[in-house]
Amino acid sequence: MSASWVRTWLRACAALVHERSAWLTELDAAIGDGDHGINLDRGFALVVARLGLDGEDGAGGAPDLPGDALLREAGRVILGSVGGASGALYGRALQRAGAALADGGAAVPAEHDRVVVVPADPGGEAPAVARALGAAVDGIAALGRSAPGDKTMLDALVPAAVSLRASVVAGQELGVALDLAADAAERGAEATIPLVARRGRASYLGERSAGHLDPGAASSALLVRALAVTWSRG
Amino acid sequence: MVGLVLVGHSPRLLDGLREMLEQAAPEVPVATAGGTSAGVLGTSAPLVLRALRDVLDRCDGDGALILIDLGSAALAVEVALEEATDRERRLVRLCDGPIVEGAVLAAVEAASGAGLDAVLRAADGATGSGKWPDDLAR
């Protein structure tokens, strides 16, 4: 993924999270500790500020980093500033996505079963985006010791990564592929509503967590939607 | 001397705990990683790594015990340890017990000159240590 692509995506994430911050916080207030939107909004705003993403590419004193390094730096900022499980999980995900781009996925630890494996492919943005998303999802699954059905981010992210991989393998155009992935993420998030949480703060509620949309799945769907937004602006 | 790294969501909670440890065992190296670098409630892997390195610098190679409060603190520690060197990881143990009781027991044990594994056993012993007299109706 080119640096310009990553910068546009991170900006789109910050904008979407900011726009939906109150909604995410409201979801979290129902089954968590009520700070998910505020925390993510602050984290992505810091990513934009620290990486100098608010100016035009290459302007405004922005650091001249390649796409993989930008993702890793963004992960570092999120790890340090967001707090809570979402900070550790999204921070780790961004760092794993960066590592996957830097070396074609070899940096992903072999001891974990990989949720989504995308074969390395010669060139093009589509396989790179799919590989980065796959590595990010693997990173979250490994750190969170969770799987789809646990009412977590993975309920949105795994369907998105699986959809994107299938599109790439089928040679689908990237714009269409990303729209399909974002749709899959949103359907996956919606499907968390009847689930009983098995991970995170919501699991303290047991059966009472059913009937609510999982805030982590909701924010994950926004971040995948930001990929589709990025392509449409490309 | 073995040191302690306190990891939790609230810096003020950890400052209070550190105050208690300074009274109980002033010579034990202690560092805290409370809240995020944005100054709000939460945990932060970079702050954990910084606190760990601070204690390791002051423990004469005897190691550090990490104590956590809840939930995501464990994730922040796990991410921080991935960034640490192999040598640093060998000098770390993770306490599973409650942070207040565990830290006090660990500090007293460390102050006696005990090794890292003995300090861990002392701190883990805080789990289920009866706080109330047996004959008090609860």
Side-chain angles (χ1 to χ4, degrees):
Chain A
M1 282 160 82
S2 68
S4 152
W5 221 93
V6 171
R7 296 160 63 93
T8 307
W9 176 64
L10 289 170
R11 277 197 298 259
C13 289
L16 274 180
V17 166
H18 183 68
E19 192 184 306
R20 306 303 298 277
S21 163
W23 174 64
L24 291 173
T25 290
E26 196 180 304
L27 294 176
D28 193 33
I31 56 171
D33 47 6
D35 58 7
H36 190 53
I38 298 166
N39 285 345
L40 268 193
D41 187 22
R42 184 184 51 244
F44 276 102
L46 267 176
V47 167
V48 168
R50 297 259 177 87
L51 300 185
L53 304 180
D54 20 20
E56 288 301 305
D57 283 5
D64 186 20
L65 295 173
D68 62 289
L70 279 171
L71 286 171
R72 279 194 272 209
E73 273 307 304
R76 177 170 291 280
V77 173
I78 295 288
L79 280 175
S81 63
V82 170
S86 59
L89 293 165
Y90 282 139
R92 156 75 82 92
L94 288 165
Q95 292 188 319
R96 284 292 159 82
L101 290 182
D103 60 16
V108 178
E111 71 263 28
H112 298 301
D113 284 334
R114 300 191 56 192
V115 177
V116 179
V117 181
V118 177
D121 186 281
E125 292 281 32
V129 176
R131 211 159 56 236
L133 181 60
V137 174
D138 286 340
I140 287 177
L143 184 61
R145 275 86 175 169
S146 54
D150 289 343
K151 199 177 180 95
T152 70
M153 297 170 179
L154 292 177
D155 288 306
L157 291 174
V158 169
V162 168
S163 162
L164 188 56
R165 177 186 57 184
S167 294
V168 167
V169 170
Q172 183 67 265
E173 183 204 349
L174 183 56
V176 175
L178 291 175
D179 276 336
L180 289 172
D183 292 346
E186 282 156 16
R187 279 196 307 274
E190 288 293 320
T192 64
I193 292 174
L195 298 177
V196 172
R198 287 200 285 257
R199 284 287 181 279
R201 192 72 66 99
S203 66
Y204 297 180
L205 293 175
E207 300 287 336
R208 281 171 292 154
S209 63
H212 299 276
L213 177 58
D214 180 65
S219 61
S220 287
L222 288 180
L223 304 183
V224 179
R225 179 57 68 190
L227 286 171
V229 170
T230 299
W231 189 87
S232 71
R233 288 180 190 161
Chain B
M1 181 175 297
V2 171
L4 308 183
V5 180
L6 311 176
V7 180
H9 286 62
S10 159
R12 286 195 287 167
L13 182 82
L14 299 188
D15 284 345
L17 178 53
R18 175 150 66 179
E19 198 181 355
M20 290 168 68
L21 300 179
E22 277 163 5
Q23 191 183 51
E27 60 276 48
V28 174
V30 175
T32 61
T36 72
S37 48
V40 296
L41 296 180
T43 56
S44 151
L47 291 185
V48 172
L49 189 56
R50 190 197 299 172
L52 173 62
R53 288 183 168 153
D54 175 26
V55 166
L56 290 179
D57 279 346
R58 294 186 280 137
C59 74
D60 299 320
D62 290 333
L65 182 69
I66 299 182
L67 299 104
I68 62 173
D69 66 349
L70 333 143
S72 67
L75 297 185
V77 170
E78 187 175 349
V79 173
L81 289 176
E82 269 180 29
E83 301 260 316
T85 65
D86 286 342
R87 182 184 168 277
E88 288 168 334
R89 274 193 291 270
R90 279 195 295 275
L91 288 172
V92 168
R93 297 292 183 275
L94 307 177
C95 172
D96 198 41
I99 189 166
V100 175
E101 293 86 341
V104 172
L105 289 174
V108 170
E109 188 75 8
S112 77
L116 185 53
D117 288 313
V119 172
L120 171 65
R121 277 194 300 277
D124 277 348
T127 311
S129 60
K131 293 182 187 183
W132 302 100
D134 291 340
D135 57 354
L136 181 72
R138 286 190 287 136

